[in-house]
Amino acid sequence: MKLNRTNTILAALMLIQALAVAVLALAGRAAPIQNTGAPLLAGFDPETVTQVAFQDADKNEVVVMKDAAGVWTLANGYPITETRIAPILNSIKSFDTGRLIAQNRSSHTRLKVADDTFERRIEVKRGDTVDTLFLGSSTGANATHVRLGGSDSVYLVSGLSAFEVPTSAVSWVNPIYFSIDQSIIQYLKVENANGVFEFRRDGESLVFSGLGAGEIANPTLSTSLTNNIASIRLDAPLGKELKPEYGMDKPLAVITIQTRREIMPTPTALVTNTPDPLLPPITPQPVQPQIEEKSYTIQIGAKLDEGYIVKSSESEFYVRIAAFGAEYWVNMARDKVIATPTPTPTVDPNLTPTIPPTLEMTPSSIPTVTLTPIPTEVSTLEPTTEATAEATIEATGTPGN
Protein backbone atom coordinates (compact mmCIF):
# COMPACT_ATOMS: atom_id res chain seq x y z
CA MET A 1 0.00 0.00 0.00
CA LYS A 2 2.84 2.35 0.89
CA LEU A 3 4.54 1.65 -2.45
CA ASN A 4 1.40 2.36 -4.39
CA ARG A 5 0.92 5.66 -2.58
CA THR A 6 4.48 6.69 -3.36
CA ASN A 7 4.04 5.84 -7.03
CA THR A 8 0.82 7.84 -7.14
CA ILE A 9 2.55 10.91 -5.72
CA LEU A 10 5.44 10.62 -8.18
CA ALA A 11 3.05 10.21 -11.09
CA ALA A 12 1.14 13.29 -10.02
CA LEU A 13 4.34 15.32 -9.77
CA MET A 14 5.43 14.20 -13.23
CA LEU A 15 2.05 15.16 -14.65
CA ILE A 16 2.23 18.61 -13.08
CA GLN A 17 5.77 19.07 -14.45
CA ALA A 18 4.70 18.05 -17.97
CA LEU A 19 1.76 20.47 -17.88
CA ALA A 20 4.03 23.27 -16.73
CA VAL A 21 6.48 22.62 -19.58
CA ALA A 22 3.65 22.57 -22.13
CA VAL A 23 2.19 25.84 -20.83
CA LEU A 24 5.59 27.54 -20.93
CA ALA A 25 6.23 26.28 -24.46
CA LEU A 26 2.89 27.50 -25.75
CA ALA A 27 3.30 30.84 -24.03
CA GLY A 28 6.80 31.27 -25.46
CA ARG A 29 5.61 30.43 -28.95
CA ALA A 30 2.58 32.70 -29.08
CA ALA A 31 3.73 35.69 -27.07
CA PRO A 32 4.89 38.64 -29.23
CA ILE A 33 7.64 41.05 -28.27
CA GLN A 34 6.29 43.13 -25.41
CA ASN A 35 7.37 46.75 -24.97
CA THR A 36 7.79 46.49 -21.24
CA GLY A 37 11.24 48.06 -20.85
CA ALA A 38 12.42 51.65 -20.78
CA PRO A 39 12.83 53.54 -24.07
CA LEU A 40 16.16 52.82 -25.75
CA LEU A 41 16.52 56.54 -26.53
CA ALA A 42 15.21 58.50 -23.57
CA GLY A 43 13.05 61.49 -24.48
CA PHE A 44 13.22 60.76 -28.22
CA ASP A 45 10.81 62.94 -30.22
CA PRO A 46 10.76 62.52 -34.05
CA GLU A 47 9.80 66.18 -34.45
CA THR A 48 13.10 67.29 -32.95
CA VAL A 49 15.25 65.26 -35.37
CA THR A 50 17.11 67.45 -37.86
CA GLN A 51 19.39 64.94 -39.62
CA VAL A 52 19.76 61.18 -40.08
CA ALA A 53 22.60 59.28 -41.76
CA PHE A 54 22.09 55.69 -42.94
CA GLN A 55 24.99 53.36 -43.80
CA ASP A 56 25.00 49.70 -44.85
CA ALA A 57 27.62 46.95 -44.54
CA ASP A 58 29.18 47.96 -47.89
CA LYS A 59 29.68 51.54 -46.65
CA ASN A 60 26.98 52.93 -48.94
CA GLU A 61 25.57 55.98 -47.19
CA VAL A 62 22.73 58.43 -47.61
CA VAL A 63 22.07 61.50 -45.46
CA VAL A 64 18.68 63.16 -45.10
CA MET A 65 18.06 66.43 -43.29
CA LYS A 66 15.36 68.92 -42.49
CA ASP A 67 15.82 72.38 -44.01
CA ALA A 68 14.84 75.72 -42.50
CA ALA A 69 11.30 75.38 -43.87
CA GLY A 70 10.89 71.97 -42.23
CA VAL A 71 11.13 70.08 -45.55
CA TRP A 72 13.13 66.84 -45.61
CA THR A 73 15.79 66.69 -48.33
CA LEU A 74 18.96 64.85 -49.25
CA ALA A 75 22.24 66.45 -48.23
CA ASN A 76 22.43 68.10 -51.68
CA GLY A 77 19.01 69.70 -51.24
CA TYR A 78 17.01 67.33 -53.43
CA PRO A 79 13.56 66.83 -51.84
CA ILE A 80 12.82 63.33 -50.56
CA THR A 81 9.55 61.43 -50.23
CA GLU A 82 8.59 62.32 -46.67
CA THR A 83 6.60 59.14 -46.22
CA ARG A 84 9.97 57.40 -46.12
CA ILE A 85 11.46 59.10 -43.06
CA ALA A 86 8.45 59.34 -40.74
CA PRO A 87 7.91 55.55 -40.26
CA ILE A 88 11.62 55.04 -39.49
CA LEU A 89 11.70 57.75 -36.85
CA ASN A 90 8.49 56.46 -35.26
CA SER A 91 9.97 52.96 -35.08
CA ILE A 92 13.12 54.29 -33.41
CA LYS A 93 10.91 56.00 -30.85
CA SER A 94 9.28 52.64 -30.06
CA PHE A 95 12.59 50.82 -29.39
CA ASP A 96 12.86 49.72 -25.76
CA THR A 97 14.99 47.60 -23.46
CA GLY A 98 12.36 44.96 -22.69
CA ARG A 99 14.12 42.07 -24.44
CA LEU A 100 17.78 41.91 -23.44
CA ILE A 101 19.65 39.41 -25.67
CA ALA A 102 23.35 39.90 -24.86
CA GLN A 103 25.58 42.06 -22.69
CA ASN A 104 29.05 41.12 -23.86
CA ARG A 105 30.99 42.54 -26.75
CA SER A 106 31.88 39.11 -28.10
CA SER A 107 28.27 38.66 -29.25
CA HIS A 108 28.18 41.85 -31.36
CA THR A 109 29.71 40.39 -34.51
CA ARG A 110 27.47 37.30 -34.43
CA LEU A 111 24.36 39.47 -34.02
CA LYS A 112 25.69 41.99 -36.61
CA VAL A 113 25.60 45.00 -34.30
CA ALA A 114 29.37 45.54 -33.98
CA ASP A 115 31.04 48.85 -34.76
CA ASP A 116 32.49 47.37 -37.96
CA THR A 117 30.00 44.57 -38.70
CA PHE A 118 26.37 45.59 -39.02
CA GLU A 119 23.35 45.56 -41.30
CA ARG A 120 22.61 49.27 -40.82
CA ARG A 121 24.29 52.06 -38.93
CA ILE A 122 21.88 54.90 -38.15
CA GLU A 123 23.17 58.22 -36.83
CA VAL A 124 20.38 60.44 -35.53
CA LYS A 125 20.94 64.13 -34.79
CA ARG A 126 18.65 66.08 -32.45
CA GLY A 127 20.00 69.56 -31.92
CA ASP A 128 23.42 69.03 -30.32
CA THR A 129 22.66 65.38 -29.45
CA VAL A 130 23.85 62.63 -31.79
CA ASP A 131 22.82 59.00 -31.17
CA THR A 132 24.12 56.00 -33.08
CA LEU A 133 22.09 52.82 -33.51
CA PHE A 134 23.25 49.53 -34.99
CA LEU A 135 20.58 47.40 -36.65
CA GLY A 136 21.60 43.78 -36.86
CA SER A 137 20.25 40.39 -37.84
CA SER A 138 16.58 39.47 -37.63
CA THR A 139 15.16 36.48 -35.80
CA GLY A 140 11.81 36.64 -37.53
CA ALA A 141 9.46 38.78 -39.55
CA ASN A 142 9.14 41.38 -36.79
CA ALA A 143 12.19 41.02 -34.56
CA THR A 144 15.58 42.69 -35.07
CA HIS A 145 18.68 42.97 -32.93
CA VAL A 146 19.66 46.53 -32.05
CA ARG A 147 22.44 48.14 -30.04
CA LEU A 148 22.91 51.72 -28.93
CA GLY A 149 26.38 53.05 -29.68
CA GLY A 150 28.57 53.20 -26.57
CA SER A 151 26.74 50.30 -24.92
CA ASP A 152 27.42 46.57 -25.00
CA SER A 153 23.78 45.59 -24.42
CA VAL A 154 21.88 44.11 -27.35
CA TYR A 155 18.08 44.12 -27.44
CA LEU A 156 15.43 42.51 -29.59
CA VAL A 157 13.01 45.10 -30.97
CA SER A 158 10.11 45.19 -33.41
CA GLY A 159 8.90 47.62 -36.04
CA LEU A 160 12.04 48.09 -38.16
CA SER A 161 14.40 45.81 -40.08
CA ALA A 162 17.48 46.53 -42.18
CA PHE A 163 15.76 46.10 -45.57
CA GLU A 164 13.31 48.89 -44.61
CA VAL A 165 16.22 51.36 -44.38
CA PRO A 166 17.51 52.10 -47.94
CA THR A 167 21.02 53.44 -48.41
CA SER A 168 20.79 54.63 -52.05
CA ALA A 169 19.72 58.19 -52.74
CA VAL A 170 17.32 57.24 -55.56
CA SER A 171 15.30 55.13 -53.09
CA TRP A 172 14.49 58.27 -51.09
CA VAL A 173 13.19 60.48 -53.91
CA ASN A 174 10.51 60.46 -56.59
CA PRO A 175 12.23 58.61 -59.47
CA ILE A 176 10.24 60.52 -62.14
CA TYR A 177 12.36 63.56 -62.99
CA PHE A 178 10.33 64.86 -65.95
CA SER A 179 6.90 63.92 -67.31
CA ILE A 180 4.53 65.36 -69.88
CA ASP A 181 1.18 64.50 -71.44
CA GLN A 182 2.00 63.07 -74.87
CA SER A 183 -1.25 64.25 -76.42
CA ILE A 184 -0.53 67.97 -75.93
CA ILE A 185 2.89 67.99 -77.61
CA GLN A 186 2.63 70.14 -80.76
CA TYR A 187 6.28 70.54 -81.66
CA LEU A 188 9.50 68.72 -80.77
CA LYS A 189 13.03 69.57 -81.85
CA VAL A 190 16.20 67.56 -81.28
CA GLU A 191 19.66 69.07 -81.78
CA ASN A 192 22.73 66.86 -81.63
CA ALA A 193 25.98 66.20 -83.47
CA ASN A 194 24.06 64.66 -86.39
CA GLY A 195 21.96 67.76 -87.10
CA VAL A 196 18.60 69.31 -86.22
CA PHE A 197 15.42 67.22 -86.37
CA GLU A 198 12.01 68.88 -86.10
CA PHE A 199 8.67 67.16 -85.63
CA ARG A 200 5.20 68.72 -85.75
CA ARG A 201 1.84 67.32 -84.79
CA ASP A 202 -0.40 66.12 -87.61
CA GLY A 203 -3.55 64.60 -86.18
CA GLU A 204 -2.53 61.90 -83.71
CA SER A 205 1.12 61.73 -84.75
CA LEU A 206 4.31 63.76 -84.69
CA VAL A 207 5.62 64.03 -88.25
CA PHE A 208 9.19 64.72 -89.30
CA SER A 209 9.43 68.09 -91.05
CA GLY A 210 12.54 67.32 -93.08
CA LEU A 211 11.18 64.74 -95.50
CA GLY A 212 12.54 65.05 -99.01
CA ALA A 213 10.86 64.14 -102.28
CA GLY A 214 9.88 60.50 -102.29
CA GLU A 215 10.90 59.98 -98.65
CA ILE A 216 8.63 58.59 -95.96
CA ALA A 217 9.08 58.70 -92.20
CA ASN A 218 9.81 55.66 -90.09
CA PRO A 219 6.33 54.31 -89.22
CA THR A 220 7.28 53.71 -85.58
CA LEU A 221 8.90 57.13 -85.15
CA SER A 222 5.98 59.02 -83.59
CA THR A 223 5.35 56.36 -80.97
CA SER A 224 9.00 56.06 -80.00
CA LEU A 225 9.37 59.85 -79.73
CA THR A 226 6.44 60.29 -77.37
CA ASN A 227 7.27 57.21 -75.31
CA ASN A 228 10.83 58.38 -74.72
CA ILE A 229 9.91 61.95 -73.78
CA ALA A 230 6.71 61.27 -71.79
CA SER A 231 8.59 60.16 -68.68
CA ILE A 232 12.27 60.53 -67.78
CA ARG A 233 13.45 58.53 -64.76
CA LEU A 234 16.54 59.42 -62.79
CA ASP A 235 19.29 57.12 -61.55
CA ALA A 236 20.80 59.61 -59.14
CA PRO A 237 19.85 63.13 -57.95
CA LEU A 238 22.93 65.36 -58.14
CA GLY A 239 21.93 68.69 -56.62
CA LYS A 240 21.77 72.27 -57.89
CA GLU A 241 25.45 72.98 -58.41
CA LEU A 242 26.66 73.01 -62.02
CA LYS A 243 29.97 71.17 -62.17
CA PRO A 244 32.43 71.26 -65.11
CA GLU A 245 32.31 67.47 -65.50
CA TYR A 246 28.59 67.69 -66.29
CA GLY A 247 29.46 68.95 -69.80
CA MET A 248 26.59 71.40 -70.01
CA ASP A 249 28.72 74.00 -71.81
CA LYS A 250 28.57 71.68 -74.85
CA PRO A 251 25.56 69.41 -74.36
CA LEU A 252 25.39 66.24 -76.43
CA ALA A 253 21.71 66.84 -77.18
CA VAL A 254 19.12 69.54 -76.60
CA ILE A 255 15.40 68.74 -76.76
CA THR A 256 12.84 71.51 -77.16
CA ILE A 257 9.14 70.79 -76.59
CA GLN A 258 6.16 73.03 -77.22
CA THR A 259 2.72 72.10 -75.91
CA ARG A 260 -0.78 73.43 -76.33
CA ARG A 261 -3.92 72.50 -74.42
CA GLU A 262 -7.37 73.81 -73.72
CA ILE A 263 -8.40 74.48 -70.12
CA MET A 264 -12.05 74.85 -69.31
CA PRO A 265 -12.51 77.51 -66.61
CA THR A 266 -14.59 76.64 -63.60
CA PRO A 267 -18.10 77.96 -64.28
CA THR A 268 -19.32 80.59 -61.83
CA ALA A 269 -22.87 80.71 -60.61
CA LEU A 270 -25.01 83.33 -62.30
CA VAL A 271 -26.56 85.52 -59.60
CA THR A 272 -29.84 87.16 -60.64
CA ASN A 273 -32.64 88.94 -58.82
CA THR A 274 -36.30 88.27 -59.34
CA PRO A 275 -36.86 88.31 -63.10
CA ASP A 276 -38.27 91.62 -64.32
CA PRO A 277 -41.06 90.94 -66.84
CA LEU A 278 -40.26 94.19 -68.60
CA LEU A 279 -36.65 93.14 -69.34
CA PRO A 280 -35.54 90.49 -71.84
CA PRO A 281 -34.50 87.18 -70.28
CA ILE A 282 -30.81 86.66 -69.49
CA THR A 283 -29.23 84.06 -71.73
CA PRO A 284 -26.16 82.36 -70.17
CA GLN A 285 -23.10 82.67 -72.39
CA PRO A 286 -21.20 79.49 -73.24
CA VAL A 287 -17.93 79.05 -71.37
CA GLN A 288 -14.96 79.54 -73.65
CA PRO A 289 -11.87 77.34 -73.13
CA GLN A 290 -8.60 78.98 -72.23
CA ILE A 291 -5.58 78.10 -74.34
CA GLU A 292 -2.37 77.31 -72.47
CA GLU A 293 0.87 77.12 -74.43
CA LYS A 294 4.16 76.18 -72.84
CA SER A 295 7.76 75.45 -73.83
CA TYR A 296 10.22 73.02 -72.20
CA THR A 297 13.93 72.40 -72.70
CA ILE A 298 15.92 69.32 -71.74
CA GLN A 299 19.71 69.28 -71.99
CA ILE A 300 21.76 66.09 -72.07
CA GLY A 301 25.33 66.57 -70.92
CA ALA A 302 28.35 64.33 -70.52
CA LYS A 303 28.35 60.61 -69.89
CA LEU A 304 29.22 59.99 -66.24
CA ASP A 305 29.29 56.74 -64.25
CA GLU A 306 27.41 54.64 -66.82
CA GLY A 307 24.74 57.33 -67.25
CA TYR A 308 24.25 60.84 -68.66
CA ILE A 309 23.79 64.16 -66.88
CA VAL A 310 20.41 65.79 -67.60
CA LYS A 311 18.91 69.19 -66.76
CA SER A 312 15.27 70.12 -67.35
CA SER A 313 13.96 73.67 -67.55
CA GLU A 314 11.28 72.55 -65.08
CA SER A 315 13.78 71.72 -62.34
CA GLU A 316 16.65 73.48 -60.64
CA PHE A 317 18.38 70.15 -60.03
CA TYR A 318 20.78 68.15 -62.17
CA VAL A 319 20.30 64.40 -62.31
CA ARG A 320 21.88 61.35 -63.88
CA ILE A 321 19.72 59.08 -66.04
CA ALA A 322 20.32 55.63 -67.52
CA ALA A 323 22.43 55.48 -70.69
CA PHE A 324 19.75 53.89 -72.88
CA GLY A 325 17.32 56.72 -72.13
CA ALA A 326 19.80 59.45 -73.11
CA GLU A 327 21.36 57.74 -76.11
CA TYR A 328 18.04 57.65 -77.97
CA TRP A 329 18.36 61.45 -78.35
CA VAL A 330 22.17 61.70 -78.52
CA ASN A 331 22.35 59.20 -81.40
CA MET A 332 19.32 60.37 -83.37
CA ALA A 333 20.23 60.61 -87.06
CA ARG A 334 18.44 61.05 -90.37
CA ASP A 335 18.69 57.39 -91.32
CA LYS A 336 16.80 56.54 -88.13
CA VAL A 337 13.86 58.84 -88.79
CA ILE A 338 13.53 58.03 -92.50
CA ALA A 339 12.12 54.69 -93.58
CA THR A 340 14.39 52.68 -95.85
CA PRO A 341 12.45 52.26 -99.15
CA THR A 342 12.11 48.87 -100.79
CA PRO A 343 13.94 49.00 -104.17
CA THR A 344 11.60 48.76 -107.21
CA PRO A 345 12.89 46.81 -110.23
CA THR A 346 13.39 49.06 -113.31
CA VAL A 347 13.47 48.17 -117.04
CA ASP A 348 16.05 49.77 -119.34
CA PRO A 349 14.11 51.11 -122.40
CA ASN A 350 17.24 50.72 -124.57
CA LEU A 351 17.58 47.08 -123.75
CA THR A 352 16.91 44.77 -126.78
CA PRO A 353 15.09 41.65 -125.71
CA THR A 354 16.97 38.46 -126.46
CA ILE A 355 14.95 35.54 -127.85
CA PRO A 356 16.36 32.19 -126.88
CA PRO A 357 17.21 29.85 -129.83
CA THR A 358 14.59 27.30 -130.88
CA LEU A 359 15.43 23.76 -129.97
CA GLU A 360 15.49 21.61 -133.18
CA MET A 361 14.96 17.89 -133.03
CA THR A 362 17.01 15.75 -135.43
CA PRO A 363 16.19 12.18 -136.39
CA SER A 364 19.34 10.96 -134.77
CA SER A 365 18.15 12.46 -131.58
CA ILE A 366 14.99 10.34 -131.62
CA PRO A 367 15.68 7.03 -129.95
CA THR A 368 14.79 3.84 -131.93
CA VAL A 369 12.56 1.42 -130.10
CA THR A 370 12.74 -2.25 -131.17
CA LEU A 371 9.78 -4.38 -130.23
CA THR A 372 10.64 -8.00 -129.55
CA PRO A 373 7.64 -10.38 -129.73
CA ILE A 374 7.03 -12.45 -126.67
CA PRO A 375 7.09 -16.18 -127.60
CA THR A 376 3.81 -18.05 -127.08
CA GLU A 377 3.85 -21.63 -125.79
CA VAL A 378 1.81 -24.22 -127.84
CA SER A 379 0.72 -27.31 -126.03
CA THR A 380 1.08 -30.65 -127.98
CA LEU A 381 -1.56 -33.18 -127.16
CA GLU A 382 -0.58 -36.87 -127.40
CA PRO A 383 -3.41 -39.27 -128.36
CA THR A 384 -4.37 -41.86 -125.79
CA THR A 385 -4.69 -45.62 -126.42
CA GLU A 386 -8.49 -45.60 -126.16
CA ALA A 387 -8.87 -42.90 -128.76
CA THR A 388 -6.62 -44.77 -131.23
CA ALA A 389 -8.48 -48.01 -130.89
CA GLU A 390 -11.84 -46.35 -131.32
CA ALA A 391 -10.71 -44.65 -134.47
CA THR A 392 -9.44 -47.94 -135.94
CA ILE A 393 -12.68 -49.77 -135.34
CA GLU A 394 -14.70 -46.94 -136.85
CA ALA A 395 -12.53 -46.99 -139.96
CA THR A 396 -12.51 -50.79 -140.57
CA GLY A 397 -15.93 -51.66 -139.42
CA THR A 398 -17.13 -54.38 -137.05
CA PRO A 399 -16.28 -57.98 -137.93
CA GLY A 400 -19.21 -59.93 -139.37
CA ASN A 401 -20.91 -56.80 -140.92
Side-chain angles (χ1 to χ4, degrees), residues 246-383:
Y246 291 173
M248 288 301 176
D249 54 336
K250 294 181 179 180
L252 299 179
V254 178
I255 308 166
T256 303
I257 308 166
Q258 293 178 1
T259 62
R260 184 180 187 274
R261 66 173 178 171
E262 296 182 352
I263 302 176
M264 296 300 294
T266 303
T268 56
L270 182 61
V271 179
T272 59
N273 296 323
T274 303
D276 188 339
L278 300 178
L279 297 176
I282 300 176
T283 303
Q285 297 298 318
V287 178
Q288 298 297 325
Q290 298 177 356
I291 305 300
E292 180 188 72
E293 295 182 340
K294 196 170 182 180
S295 181
Y296 306 85
T297 302
I298 297 172
Q299 294 177 300
I300 300 177
K303 188 174 184 179
L304 187 66
D305 297 332
E306 302 304 320
Y308 286 79
I309 308 302
V310 169
K311 174 69 170 62
S312 164
S313 59
E314 293 295 288
S315 174
E316 55 187 337
F317 293 95
Y318 296 88
V319 300
R320 189 186 70 222
I321 71 171
F324 69 87
E327 288 173 353
Y328 176 84
W329 308 102
V330 172
N331 297 331
M332 181 173 286
R334 187 176 181 81
D335 60 352
K336 295 182 179 180
V337 300
I338 301 297
T340 303
T342 303
T344 304
T346 58
V347 179
D348 187 353
N350 298 320
L351 182 64
T352 302
T354 302
I355 301 175
T358 303
L359 182 63
E360 296 181 357
M361 301 295 292
T362 60
S364 60
S365 64
I366 302 176
T368 302
V369 179
T370 303
L371 298 178
T372 303
I374 300 174
T376 304
E377 292 185 9
V378 178
S379 298
T380 305
L381 297 179
E382 296 182 1

Side-chain angles (χ1 to χ4, degrees), residues 33-47:
I33 298 174
Q34 300 293 331
N35 295 333
T36 57
L40 186 60
L41 292 178
F44 183 82
D45 181 5
E47 295 297 324

Side-chain angles (χ1 to χ4, degrees), residues 17-88:
Q17 185 179 10
L19 290 174
V21 171
V23 169
L24 290 174
L26 290 174
R29 183 187 304 171
I33 298 174
Q34 300 293 331
N35 295 333
T36 57
L40 186 60
L41 292 178
F44 183 82
D45 181 5
E47 295 297 324
T48 64
V49 177
T50 56
Q51 180 177 306
V52 188
F54 304 96
Q55 189 180 78
D56 62 20
D58 297 324
K59 308 305 179 184
N60 298 312
E61 185 177 43
V62 62
V63 178
V64 298
M65 58 182 59
K66 190 185 294 184
D67 64 14
V71 177
W72 282 96
T73 70
L74 297 176
N76 58 22
Y78 203 98
I80 71 168
T81 305
E82 293 201 22
T83 53
R84 272 287 195 183
I85 187 63
I88 294 177

Side-chain angles (χ1 to χ4, degrees), residues 144-266:
T144 304
H145 295 111
V146 65
R147 181 177 69 88
L148 179 62
S151 171
D152 290 337
S153 299
V154 182
Y155 303 95
L156 197 62
V157 298
S158 61
L160 188 65
S161 60
F163 76 87
E164 295 175 291
V165 183
T167 55
S168 62
V170 69
S171 299
W172 285 87
V173 303
N174 181 357
I176 305 300
Y177 175 64
F178 176 84
S179 63
I180 193 170
D181 181 359
Q182 305 177 25
S183 64
I184 66 173
I185 299 176
Q186 302 298 315
Y187 172 80
L188 189 147
K189 180 173 68 172
V190 181
E191 301 172 81
N192 61 21
N194 297 320
V196 178
F197 307 92
E198 296 180 286
F199 308 89
R200 289 180 169 80
R201 179 163 294 280
D202 182 5
E204 298 295 324
S205 304
L206 289 175
V207 178
F208 180 47
S209 301
L211 291 175
E215 291 182 327
I216 59 173
N218 188 327
T220 63
L221 179 64
S222 180
T223 301
S224 65
L225 281 172
T226 52
N227 287 346
N228 278 276
I229 202 62
S231 179
I232 297 177
R233 298 176 65 90
L234 60 85
D235 271 358
L238 301 177
K240 301 177 183 179
E241 181 185 358
L242 174 58
K243 299 180 179 181
E245 58 266 31
Y246 291 173
M248 288 301 176
D249 54 336
K250 294 181 179 180
L252 299 179
V254 178
I255 308 166
T256 303
I257 308 166
Q258 293 178 1
T259 62
R260 184 180 187 274
R261 66 173 178 171
E262 296 182 352
I263 302 176
M264 296 300 294
T266 303

